[in-house]
Amino acid sequence: MSTINELFGSMVFNEAVMQQRLPGKIYGELRSAMAEGTRLSPEAADVIASAMKDWAIEKGATHFTHWFQPMTGITAEKHDSFLAPSGDGVTMELTGKELIQGEPDASSFPSGGLRASFEARGYTAWDPTSYAFIKDGVLCIPTAFCSYGGEALDKKTPLLRSMEALNTQGLRILRLFGDKESKTVKATVGAEQEYFLVDKSVYDCRKDLIYTGRTLFGALPPKGQELADHYSGTIKPRVAEFMRDLDEELWSLGIMAKTEHNEAAPAQHELAPIFTTANIAADHNQLTMEIMKKVARRYDMVCLLHEKPFEGVNGSGKHNNWSLCTDTGINLLDPGDTPEENARFLLFFCAVLQAVDDYQDLLRLSVSSASNDCRTCGANEAPPAIISMYIGEEMDEVLSSIENDRDFGMKSREEFKIGVHALPKFPKDTTDRNRTSPFCFTGNKFEFRMPGSMQSISGPNVVLNTAVAESLCKYADVLEKADNFEQELHALLKNVISGHRRIIFNGNNYGSDWEQEAKKRGLLNMKSLPDCAPCYLAPKNVELFRKYRIYSEAEIRARVEIKLSSYSKIVNIEALTMLNMARREILPAVSRFAGKLSETANAKLSLSASSGKNISCGYELALASEISELTDKAYILADSLGEAVKEAQKISDAFELARYYCDNVLAAMRELRIATDRLERLTDREEWPIPAYGDILFSVD
Ligand code: ADP
Ligand code: MG
């Protein structure tokens, strides 16, 4: 491939390919299925399937798969070859039926009890709004995954449903502003992806990285990220080559990888794509994570996507940049130039303000997991567990002036003259950043910064889309009945601002006083998944999801069940890995080292005796004694952890079990780690059985 233009999307059955390869009528049918969600006729499906297959075979593909996103959070695929018998030989085939619907043998995926084993086979249904693509010689057809009863068993179906809700309510508002042209309102998302790269040779020596994706032991190295010399620093040649290779793979799949840079921690990097429609962004982000891992291996590196692979240095997140866009190209969170645009912007802005306040519990829950909880419990890096919104001083001033019927008086920035009665002028640009805020307005979009690096972005976007749809629905209900639109709009904005002002916080989210202040404001502060899981079932939340047909109550119950059980399973695996490493690697090593010290001391003592010279062995004795004491302690702490894990087996209630893992097992793990990390600091590096933090964090040269 010579140019980016030729490379870009070359493995995607995209608009251009469809137009070129499909008869006009069929192309038209597919277009309207994509744009308006209409059903395809079986004949059209056959023609599209056949064209897709011919195109894929020309590109070297031999198999196809329905590519879907079960609730494990990663993607799944089952490959079928195009092979079909024909006379005495074979032919290559893909039928419309095979394109539209599949039945993966998927009985092992979590369903939270939605699927009894006798009806284990969920089915996959083609999502024509996300293009098919070729990956490793396989034609991948993006699909949704449902049970026979129609219950969603995946991450994509609810996302599509939430986008539909947002579209319906967004259009109601646009009509009120006299917009007759826009046919759709879609959520747009740009997901910035953080990750670590470490050398494969050190990774292979750490069972914790292999089994759990994070280090469970490890004393801090003398140098971490304090010099800020890694952040946006020069990219090392091996990493630069990886990034180039990665970009090319992503581009060929039509993924607009745009920015690549070094992040705050040593070995940490970030990739940002250009934003796109939310469901496509979700598909693309899943692919990006998968391909990052694959490409890293080519360079003898391993890509770590865990939210907190290393204690004491920055963890990885996934900033979810979110806005609303019409098919006519309007960004509804852009303040705009005209008074009408300003007013419309304010309404959509307030809809987000209210949504974030009303559904802070769901937003928090949507980013909670065993791994992301390691990052979001108030450590001095990621946003704390309290959801609040940063809007910048000027937007704050604008909202205050509406709330208090004052003129808006910021002088320094360009101001729009707003003609709509009683609405103030306000600044065009509020791109100031507050890096400590979990949810920021950044001029023409919001940035939700709590999602974890490993998570699918579907969950947080389902909540955002649905909660904003609900605000918009409330506003449309009022405004559609208004006699005087401008007056009613003004009153409504005023109400929303004063009712939800508490969620706005422009200060330092890491400050210790924020927690106190947030408590006074009545904001939630849920530190772990077991804290926030019950809120899924709060009547207001069940009602929200039911109203917009995102999840039935049964689907919500299934999802809570899956979240809780995956939390407990992950902590259990971590605890067992820790025990294994402590008992079979670390304790034997430190005991050997204490033995060596004792031998040396003995040798010195007998030499003293035989030579009559006093050879001191203070170092050996003191160290052997300290190490032995700590070793005993670690041995006992490992036993307590073992006991805690055993106790857990007796608990059957999912909520109680997750709570137990959080309060007891994680606590026992922390204790054990403190003892072993102290041992690491005292032990000869030659004797320490696993690579140290410094060896891992600075392993890629
Ligand atoms: P940073 O947060 O690193 O300063 P940028 O301002 O460049 O980054 O944007 C971050 C991400 O926001 C990019 O992925 C970009 O495509 C995305 N983005 C920009 N505009 C929108 C929008 N209207 N909707 C959704 N995402 C957007
Ligand atoms: Mg960002």
Side-chain angles (χ1 to χ4, degrees):
M1 286 297 163
S2 51
T3 65
I4 294 186
N5 256 340
E6 275 175 286
L7 178 68
F8 190 81
S10 57
M11 289 299 178
V12 184
F13 194 75
N14 57 21
E15 212 65 47
V17 183
M18 289 180 201
Q19 202 163 10
Q20 191 195 349
R21 291 184 175 246
L22 296 174
K25 189 173 149 286
I26 305 277
Y27 174 67
E29 228 184 279
L30 179 56
R31 285 286 327 201
S32 60
M34 285 164 65
E36 286 137 45
T38 49
R39 251 177 200 285
L40 278 177
S41 65
E43 300 76 46
D46 275 334
V47 176
I48 296 164
S50 166
M52 231 186 231
K53 176 218 43 178
D54 289 342
W55 167 82
I57 289 173
E58 281 167 38
K59 298 267 178 194
T62 50
H63 289 67
F64 72 96
T65 182
H66 275 198
W67 185 77
F68 61 105
Q69 302 170 25
M71 290 187 277
T72 51
I74 51 174
T75 58
E77 44 197 76
K78 182 189 93 177
H79 301 169
D80 277 304
S81 73
F82 291 123
L83 222 65
S86 163
D88 288 340
V90 289
T91 176
M92 299 294 247
E93 208 175 79
L94 178 68
T95 65
K97 204 164 159 279
E98 285 170 318
L99 168 66
I100 285 181
Q101 191 163 318
E103 274 188 56
D105 180 12
S107 47
S108 300
F109 289 118
S111 77
L114 277 180
R115 226 181 23 203
S117 47
F118 63 89
E119 50 187 17
R121 296 167 76 93
Y123 72 90
T124 49
W126 182 33
D127 164 21
T129 62
S130 184
Y131 300 133
F133 56 90
I134 297 171
K135 179 169 69 75
D136 302 326
V138 178
L139 170 68
C140 298
I141 302 163
T143 56
F145 178 43
C146 301
S147 75
Y148 270 107
E151 285 120 345
L153 294 173
D154 66 350
K155 302 234 168 206
K156 174 179 276 233
T157 308
L159 181 60
L160 292 173
R161 291 175 183 166
S162 72
M163 289 172 70
E164 189 49 48
L166 196 51
N167 179 46
T168 309
Q169 303 307 327
L171 285 175
R172 282 177 75 192
I173 299 288
L174 289 188
R175 299 296 178 250
L176 286 167
F177 279 91
D179 178 344
K180 295 194 185 74
E181 268 143 52
S182 299
K183 285 211 205 87
T184 58
V185 173
K186 283 190 175 160
T188 52
V189 172
E192 300 165 58
Q193 177 72 47
E194 292 181 333
Y195 59 99
F196 279 81
L197 287 175
V198 300
D199 193 272
K200 186 161 182 309
S201 62
V202 282
Y203 172 89
D204 285 341
C205 299
R206 297 274 319 208
K207 293 274 187 292
D208 45 5
L209 285 178
I210 294 172
Y211 295 144
T212 74
R214 72 167 171 129
T215 52
L216 301 168
F217 298 99
L220 280 186
K223 177 180 183 314
Q225 65 192 52
E226 55 279 80
L227 296 179
D229 50 354
H230 191 256
Y231 185 70
S232 290
T234 315
I235 298 172
K236 291 171 181 158
R238 174 143 67 128
V239 175
E241 265 181 65
F242 157 85
M243 287 178 175
R244 226 179 346 262
D245 202 348
L246 173 65
D247 278 346
E248 286 189 6
E249 288 238 2
L250 295 177
W251 291 340
S252 76
L253 290 172
I255 299 171
M256 287 183 277
K258 170 86 175 156
T259 316
E260 305 254 24
H261 65 81
N262 288 354
E263 257 302 323
Q268 192 184 28
H269 310 278
E270 180 186 300
L271 178 148
I274 296 174
F275 70 93
T276 178
T277 313
N279 63 318
I280 296 171
D283 286 358
H284 282 181
N285 183 253
Q286 294 297 133
L287 279 171
T288 301
M289 290 192 284
E290 181 184 327
I291 293 169
M292 275 178 168
K293 291 189 158 212
K294 185 178 86 179
V295 174
R297 294 285 172 143
R298 284 185 205 145
Y299 297 88
D300 283 326
M301 298 188 290
V302 177
C303 171
L304 304 178
L305 290 172
H306 193 285
E307 283 83 1
K308 193 75 180 171
F310 306 99
E311 290 279 305
V313 295
N314 261 27
S316 299
K318 180 141 52 192
H319 295 172
N320 190 83
N321 294 274
W322 182 95
S323 190
L324 291 169
C325 193
T326 66
D327 58 328
T328 44
I330 308 164
N331 177 354
L332 296 168
L333 290 172
D334 188 321
D337 298 315
T338 65
E340 288 73 24
E341 285 170 357
N342 288 181
R344 185 187 61 203
F345 157 75
L346 279 172
L347 182 95
F348 280 97
F349 184 94
C350 284
V352 181
L353 182 78
Q354 173 162 8
V356 173
D357 187 26
D358 283 345
Y359 297 100
Q360 23 169 324
D361 50 353
L362 283 178
L363 280 171
R364 173 68 188 93
L365 175 63
S366 75
V367 297
S368 190
S369 66
S371 57
N372 203 29
D373 282 3
C374 301
R375 186 182 77 106
T376 43
C377 33
N380 195 23
E381 46 152 299
I386 308 160
I387 302 255
S388 70
M389 211 160 137
Y390 168 83
I391 63 170
E393 248 171 70
E394 284 161 318
M395 266 314 292
D396 206 333
E397 192 61 26
V398 171
L399 298 193
S400 297
S401 62
I402 297 174
E403 199 180 353
N404 305 313
D405 290 321
R406 269 195 283 107
D407 266 355
F408 174 63
M410 296 292 279
K411 293 168 200 78
S412 55
R413 299 278 182 108
E414 182 188 349
E415 289 165 359
F416 296 130
K417 185 147 174 33
I418 196 157
V420 176
H421 176 71
L423 285 180
K425 293 178 278 184
F426 61 93
K428 186 179 187 178
D429 183 24
T430 51
T431 50
D432 276 350
R433 298 294 172 88
N434 176 335
R435 299 254 165 217
T436 68
S437 174
F439 203 103
C440 320
F441 179 60
T442 55
N444 61 2
K445 61 178 161 56
F446 284 93
E447 184 173 353
F448 185 29
R449 309 169 74 205
M450 281 171 112
S453 47
M454 209 158 82
Q455 293 175 328
S456 155
I457 56 168
S458 292
N461 285 299
V462 167
V463 174
L464 255 176
N465 294 345
T466 316
V468 173
E470 170 66 0
S471 305
L472 294 174
C473 174
K474 283 191 172 131
Y475 304 167
D477 286 348
V478 173
L479 294 173
E480 280 167 358
K481 287 195 223 99
D483 293 330
N484 183 331
F485 178 71
E486 280 178 21
Q487 241 173 36
E488 206 57 70
L489 175 62
H490 178 72
L492 183 130
L493 293 178
K494 228 176 123 155
N495 252 332
V496 174
I497 295 163
S498 57
H500 299 282
R501 174 167 275 300
R502 65 169 186 167
I503 199 75
I504 299 170
F505 180 59
N506 292 320
N508 178 12
N509 284 254
Y510 300 164
S512 55
D513 39 352
W514 171 227
E515 224 169 309
Q516 298 304 320
E517 165 69 18
K519 198 169 173 193
K520 266 192 239 147
R521 295 188 189 189
L523 298 179
L524 295 168
N525 184 4
M526 299 184 289
K527 303 214 186 246
S528 66
L529 185 134
D531 283 351
C532 42
C535 75
Y536 226 153
L537 294 165
K540 77 168 179 56
N541 296 336
V542 173
E543 175 52 23
L544 174 78
F545 287 134
R546 195 203 51 75
K547 177 171 172 189
Y548 295 99
R549 300 198 165 83
I550 313 295
Y551 303 122
S552 63
E553 189 166 342
E555 286 172 319
I556 295 178
R557 287 192 183 280
R559 268 157 218 263
V560 181
E561 179 82 29
I562 289 169
K563 265 203 171 246
L564 289 167
S565 79
S566 111
Y567 180 90
S568 297
K569 282 179 192 160
I570 287 169
V571 180
N572 192 58
I573 293 171
E574 290 183 345
L576 294 180
T577 304
M578 241 188 146
L579 281 176
N580 191 296
M581 289 174 75
R583 289 175 170 156
R584 304 190 55 201
E585 294 184 276
I586 295 172
L587 292 176
V590 288
S591 168
R592 262 194 314 273
F593 180 49
K596 282 193 181 167
L597 289 168
S598 311
E599 272 172 34
T600 309
N602 261 337
K604 284 185 177 179
L605 286 173
S606 64
L607 189 58
S608 296
S610 62
S611 67
K613 288 206 165 149
N614 184 18
I615 305 172
S616 149
C617 51
Y619 164 71
E620 288 81 5
L621 287 180
L623 194 54
S625 151
E626 191 176 353
I627 285 183
S628 301
E629 247 173 67
L630 272 174
T631 307
D632 289 353
K633 191 166 175 199
Y635 172 67
I636 292 166
L637 288 170
D639 263 0
S640 314
L641 175 59
E643 282 306 313
V645 171
K646 251 192 235 146
E647 270 310 291
Q649 311 312 315
K650 298 182 189 154
I651 304 171
S652 56
D653 178 74
F655 281 98
E656 213 184 299
L657 184 62
R659 166 63 54 217
Y660 181 85
Y661 271 108
C662 181
D663 293 346
N664 297 66
V665 179
L666 280 175
M669 285 166 62
R670 267 191 299 274
E671 292 288 311
L672 174 57
R673 178 171 183 161
I674 291 170
T676 49
D677 286 359
R678 279 181 65 198
L679 278 166
E680 182 182 343
R681 278 187 220 103
L682 299 174
T683 304
D684 178 355
R685 57 170 298 146
E686 299 293 318
E687 298 291 338
W688 192 251
I690 52 177
Y693 263 31
D695 302 333
I696 312 173
L697 285 168
F698 299 96
S699 62
V700 173
D701 44 19

